[in-house]
Amino acid sequence: QVQLVESGGGSVQAGGSLRLSCAVSGYTYGTYCMGWFRQVPGKEREWVASITNDGRTNYADYVKGRFTISKDNAKNILYLQINSLKPEDTAMYYCAAPVPGSYACYLRTMIRYWGQGTQVTVTS
C-alpha cells in the first residue's frame, strides 16, 4: 500500500502562485513514477503532470510553462509548483501513484493510489 497526503492548496488571486505538496509513505517498491491530476465537479479527473524516478517530467499542454513537478527523494515528497494561476485552474488537485511497474502516470486508468486531494481556488 502507498499512502499519499496532499497539502498546500488554498484560495489565490489570478496571477498568483501556489506550491502543492504530497507526502508519500508506505510500500513504494515498484513505483516508477508519480503524478498530479485535477478535477472539477461534473468533469472527469484529468492528468496535469508526472515525473519518473529518474527525474523525467511530462506536462499536459495547458499547464506547460506554468506548472513544475518535482520531488524530494530524501523526504519522499512530491511537489507541484503552480505559477501564473488562472481561474480555470480552480480544481481539486490529487497526487497519484500507478500500479506497480507502470510508467503510465498520465493515464487515470493506471492509477492505483490517490491522495485525498487539496483544493485550489483562483479568483479573478
Side-chain angles (χ1 to χ4, degrees):
Q1 288 280 358
V2 176
Q3 290 81 43
L4 307 171
V5 180
E6 302 95 334
S7 61
S11 182
V12 297
Q13 287 191 329
S17 299
L18 283 173
R19 188 176 78 161
L20 309 184
S21 299
C22 173
V24 183
S25 62
Y27 188 73
T28 59
Y29 180 80
T31 300
Y32 296 152
C33 61
M34 297 286 297
W36 286 96
F37 286 70
R38 68 185 187 184
Q39 187 173 24
V40 298
K43 292 190 176 181
E44 287 194 350
R45 196 168 295 188
E46 62 181 5
W47 171 69
V48 174
S50 57
I51 186 168
T52 63
N53 285 357
D54 59 359
R56 287 174 290 151
T57 58
N58 277 295
Y59 299 92
D61 287 343
Y62 54 84
V63 303
K64 282 182 179 177
R66 298 191 299 122
F67 290 21
T68 302
I69 188 171
S70 62
K71 59 190 179 75
D72 185 326
N73 291 324
K75 297 181 179 179
N76 283 333
I77 298 178
L78 181 72
Y79 297 103
L80 185 68
Q81 178 69 41
I82 311 175
N83 298 326
S84 303
L85 277 158
K86 304 176 182 180
E88 52 264 42
D89 294 320
T90 295
M92 185 73 79
Y93 284 72
Y94 296 91
C95 178
V99 296
S102 172
Y103 281 96
C105 281
Y106 52 91
L107 288 177
R108 183 170 50 86
T109 53
M110 293 300 291
I111 300 301
R112 174 169 288 181
Y113 303 103
W114 298 98
Q116 84 287 354
T118 186
Q119 177 69 37
V120 172
T121 302
V122 185
T123 58
S124 57

